[in-house]
Amino acid sequence: MSPLSPSLGGMAIPVKWRKMSETGTGAFRNRIPTQLRRSLPLYAVVVVLFFFIFNAHVFTLSSPANSIISHQSTQKPLQSDEHGFPKKIWQSWKVDPYHMATRDLDTAKTWTTKNPGYRYEVLTDHNDMVYVESQYGPSSEINRPDIVDFYRSVNISIIKADLLRYLIMYAEGGVYADIDVEALRSIKRFVPERYWDSLAEIDMVVGIEIDQPEFKDHAILGSKCMSFCQWTFMCKPRLPVMLNLVESIMAWLDGLAAKQNVHLSELQLDFDEVISGTGPSAFTTALLKEMNRIKPPSMASKEITWDNYFHAMDESKVVSRVLVLDVEAFAAGQGHSDSGNHNARGALVKHHYHASNWPSKHPRYAHPVYGEVERCNWDLACVEKWDRDVEAYKALSIEEQNKLKEWRKLDLERERERRLKEQEQAIKLEQLGEAERKAKEEQKRRDELEREMRERMRVEDQALKPLHPEEHGAEEKKQEGEGLIMFGGRPVPGQSLPKGQEEADGEGKKADGQQKQQGGQQPVFGKPAPEKGPFGGL
């Protein structure tokens, strides 16, 4: 019957059952020391704690996508200095460096020569689309397929060139320079020494190109009389100003295409539309807007304008995280804006303009008689005279206007002839320079071949040179005097003997000779020859 049966009531538990219970948990408890039994809960807590520590990744709540984004955000595809400016030089041109003209290649080489620690890359008309797709396509981190489609639809070369530099600088940053810009100083000189300790507070480095605000009300020159240079500039990647500029260009071109009632690929632009829509004027407008957007609270009450901050700059300055260099840095030698010359210590680059032929496809406004006002090159007196002549022309009769047009036509013909002669002369000089370079390379190659041939002939003549009798005897004596060693009493060529042994060997040879004359036999291996028997010594 079970000990828990109710029929037992208050009966005492039998001894055998009491012994069985003592062999259960009570007996087990008695076998564990008291101190260890008290520490068991603490040990359990420690084990659980270590389990959670070493398996924390299992219990994290972050999603895989967040982990990937966090990992990608820490990656730096380009080598950068300690302040975030990528050490990369970008240029774009029609062809790659292997197919560039000598003039373009020599200019491009100045960037790698002056900056050996920088990476260098040229995007061309053949690989620019691949680059844009890789950086802005659906599988990219930026993920802007609308930009990819827009860039693909644009057919105007200068517009694509402007867009491409902005897309490059937003995606990867670094230094951008047009293919016809020569590096006069290293990129390190782009930042004056007094800013080296505060580079972390600078996101962009630009220079003044045109500083002629007195023409801001001029009908033609007003939109381009104040601008930053965009044929050379430096910035960190992912600056909002670059993407905002691209988006504003896209909106402007879409609106212009709608106005002309054509597809984006069939758009027609004149010179001023290019300058103000995608070129230096658009670049300047975007920068000024961004400067005002992020200006510090200490400048909140004052708007950042060209006249207030950048006109007639004596030295560089930082405004809203943009380091602005004076006009001499990137645009020296222009003949206006007090730009100085390229021999100045502050001149960092030299723009040769030999790749700037796009105005031929997008002409400036030219008066039928007085031509383009840009020919005045921002000279105030010249511009004012052009304005007066244009106004006077409007007051003339049709006959007088036609007569002036005829005179102008003759002037233009003479000007075209002069330019053609200059171009022909330039082409001849370039061809002559190329021919001279090739001739020098060919002559250098011939000289090297001739030197190799002479050296080979000298070696062959030396080997085939006949010896004179005296020299021949000396050579024989030299060979006879070569070191010998004895093997079983016989000489072995190739080793030398002590002097005394050589003399002894000589006497031995003499004795052998006498023995041969007497009909005797020479000892073999140091033993005497057998006596001659009836069978000839056999």
Side-chain angles (χ1 to χ4, degrees):
M1 183 177 292
S2 172
L4 300 180
S5 175
S7 61
L8 290 177
M11 294 177 61
I13 300 176
V15 174
K16 61 176 182 179
W17 293 344
R18 206 166 48 241
K19 289 181 179 181
M20 289 180 60
S21 66
E22 289 176 358
T23 61
T25 57
F28 179 74
R29 185 185 302 109
N30 292 332
R31 290 194 187 102
I32 301 176
T34 304
Q35 292 181 351
L36 182 60
R37 207 164 53 242
R38 293 174 180 175
S39 303
L40 281 177
L42 179 61
Y43 292 154
V45 171
V46 172
V47 170
V48 172
L49 181 62
F50 273 98
F51 176 78
F52 275 98
I53 290 176
F54 289 105
N55 295 274
H57 64 281
V58 178
F59 302 97
T60 181
L61 299 179
S62 60
S63 64
N66 291 336
S67 301
I68 294 172
I69 293 173
S70 176
H71 175 68
Q72 290 179 345
S73 64
T74 60
Q75 291 181 333
K76 294 183 179 180
L78 294 179
Q79 181 185 1
S80 304
D81 61 19
E82 63 273 23
H83 301 293
F85 283 100
K87 302 183 74 173
K88 180 70 178 284
I89 301 167
W90 298 92
Q91 293 191 295
S92 62
W93 190 229
K94 301 173 183 177
V95 296
D96 59 74
Y98 292 104
H99 300 89
M100 285 183 184
T102 303
R103 176 186 59 183
D104 300 328
L105 186 58
D106 291 343
T107 304
K109 283 180 179 178
T110 61
W111 288 97
T112 55
T113 302
K114 294 287 193 304
N115 306 281
Y118 278 66
R119 289 174 55 194
Y120 175 84
E121 184 172 351
V122 178
L123 292 180
T124 70
D125 291 350
H126 305 290
N127 61 22
D128 58 338
M129 195 67 242
V130 176
Y131 178 83
V132 174
E133 288 175 345
S134 66
Q135 293 294 332
Y136 291 87
S139 60
S140 68
E141 183 180 351
I142 300 175
N143 191 16
R144 289 293 301 270
D146 57 322
I147 293 178
V148 177
D149 295 338
F150 184 88
Y151 186 85
R152 186 183 289 109
S153 299
V154 174
N155 284 337
I156 302 175
S157 298
I158 185 59
I159 300 299
K160 299 194 80 164
D162 286 338
L163 275 172
L164 184 61
R165 74 189 65 188
Y166 305 144
L167 293 172
I168 292 171
M169 298 304 272
Y170 176 73
E172 300 194 58
V175 176
Y176 177 86
D178 279 352
I179 202 67
D180 54 359
V181 175
E182 174 187 356
L184 301 178
R185 306 282 188 271
S186 67
I187 293 173
K188 184 179 179 181
R189 293 280 299 275
F190 282 19
V191 180
E193 187 174 353
R194 64 181 179 274
Y195 296 116
W196 287 359
D197 294 334
S198 57
L199 267 176
E201 301 173 4
I202 298 174
D203 292 335
M204 196 170 188
V205 180
V206 299
I208 303 293
E209 179 186 354
I210 301 176
D211 181 26
Q212 301 287 166
E214 62 270 25
F215 296 102
K216 60 184 176 182
D217 296 326
H218 194 273
I220 298 174
L221 302 176
S223 62
K224 47 198 174 190
C225 65
M226 300 171 287
S227 64
F228 296 120
C229 174
Q230 49 99 255
W231 61 59
T232 302
F233 66 99
M234 178 171 74
C235 74
K236 296 176 181 178
R238 308 301 171 91
L239 295 184
V241 64
M242 290 289 98
L243 188 59
N244 293 338
L245 177 55
V246 170
E247 290 175 343
S248 66
I249 291 173
M250 293 169 61
W252 174 71
L253 287 175
D254 283 336
L256 203 59
K259 184 178 179 180
Q260 295 183 12
N261 197 24
V262 295
H263 188 266
L264 191 62
S265 60
E266 302 172 354
L267 199 60
Q268 299 293 326
L269 302 176
D270 61 27
F271 179 88
D272 291 333
E273 287 173 328
V274 172
I275 293 294
S276 61
T278 66
S281 296
F283 183 68
T284 302
T285 300
L287 278 181
L288 291 175
K289 183 178 179 180
E290 182 68 9
M291 288 176 182
N292 279 287
R293 186 184 72 85
I294 66 172
K295 64 184 177 181
S298 58
M299 302 170 59
S301 61
K302 188 176 182 180
E303 184 182 3
I304 299 174
T305 64
W306 190 273
D307 290 331
N308 293 340
Y309 284 89
F310 309 115
H311 176 51
M313 282 176 47
D314 294 329
E315 59 181 4
S316 57
K317 63 175 67 175
V318 176
V319 181
S320 296
R321 303 185 66 86
V322 178
L323 173 59
V324 182
L325 306 178
D326 58 31
V327 66
E328 193 177 61
F330 293 161
Q334 296 182 106
H336 61 78
S337 304
D338 195 21
S339 58
N341 59 76
H342 295 104
N343 296 323
R345 186 175 181 274
L348 303 176
V349 303
K350 182 178 182 180
H351 194 187
H352 292 277
Y353 298 99
H354 57 246
S356 302
N357 62 347
W358 63 268
S360 61
K361 300 178 181 179
H362 309 276
R364 299 178 175 91
Y365 169 77
H367 189 271
V369 175
Y370 303 110
E372 302 165 354
V373 68
E374 285 87 355
R375 291 178 180 272
C376 292
N377 199 27
W378 305 97
D379 180 75
L380 182 59
C382 178
V383 173
E384 289 177 345
K385 183 180 184 304
W386 187 89
D387 291 340
R388 290 194 300 269
D389 290 341
V390 170
E391 289 299 321
Y393 176 84
K394 295 177 181 178
L396 296 177
S397 63
I398 299 298
E399 292 78 10
E400 292 172 324
Q401 289 181 357
N402 290 336
K403 187 179 293 184
L404 288 175
K405 288 180 182 179
E406 289 295 327
W407 292 346
R408 174 63 177 168
K409 184 178 180 180
L410 294 175
D411 290 340
L412 286 176
E413 289 178 357
R414 287 192 291 266
E415 180 70 14
R416 290 194 188 100
E417 291 178 0
R418 183 185 66 81
R419 288 187 178 181
L420 285 174
K421 289 181 180 179
E422 290 179 353
Q423 290 178 358
E424 290 175 357
Q425 186 67 18
I427 292 173
K428 287 181 180 178
L429 290 174
E430 184 176 354
Q431 292 175 346
L432 180 62
E434 184 71 13
E436 289 179 355
R437 185 184 65 82
K438 290 182 178 180
K440 288 180 180 179
E441 291 179 354
E442 182 66 21
Q443 186 62 40
K444 182 179 179 181
R445 189 179 66 84
R446 290 180 179 178
D447 292 343
E448 291 177 354
L449 290 175
E450 186 175 353
R451 281 196 298 270
E452 292 177 0
M453 185 178 296
R454 287 179 179 177
E455 179 64 18
R456 187 162 54 249
M457 292 175 64
R458 185 189 68 78
V459 174
E460 292 174 352
D461 291 345
Q462 186 69 21
L464 299 175
K465 183 179 179 181
L467 296 174
H468 294 290
E470 299 82 3
E471 297 176 350
H472 184 65
E475 186 69 21
E476 286 182 347
K477 290 180 180 178
K478 181 178 179 182
Q479 292 177 357
E480 289 178 359
E482 285 182 354
L484 303 174
I485 63 172
M486 301 301 294
F487 179 73
R490 292 183 179 275
V492 179
Q495 300 293 334
S496 60
L497 295 175
K499 184 176 181 180
Q501 191 172 350
E502 289 178 358
E503 293 176 355
D505 186 63
E507 293 176 358
K509 288 182 179 180
K510 184 176 180 181
D512 289 344
Q514 293 176 355
Q515 186 176 358
K516 286 181 180 180
Q517 291 177 359
Q518 296 175 1
Q521 293 183 356
Q522 184 177 358
V524 178
F525 295 109
K527 295 182 180 181
E531 295 182 359
K532 196 171 184 181
F535 299 100
L538 296 176

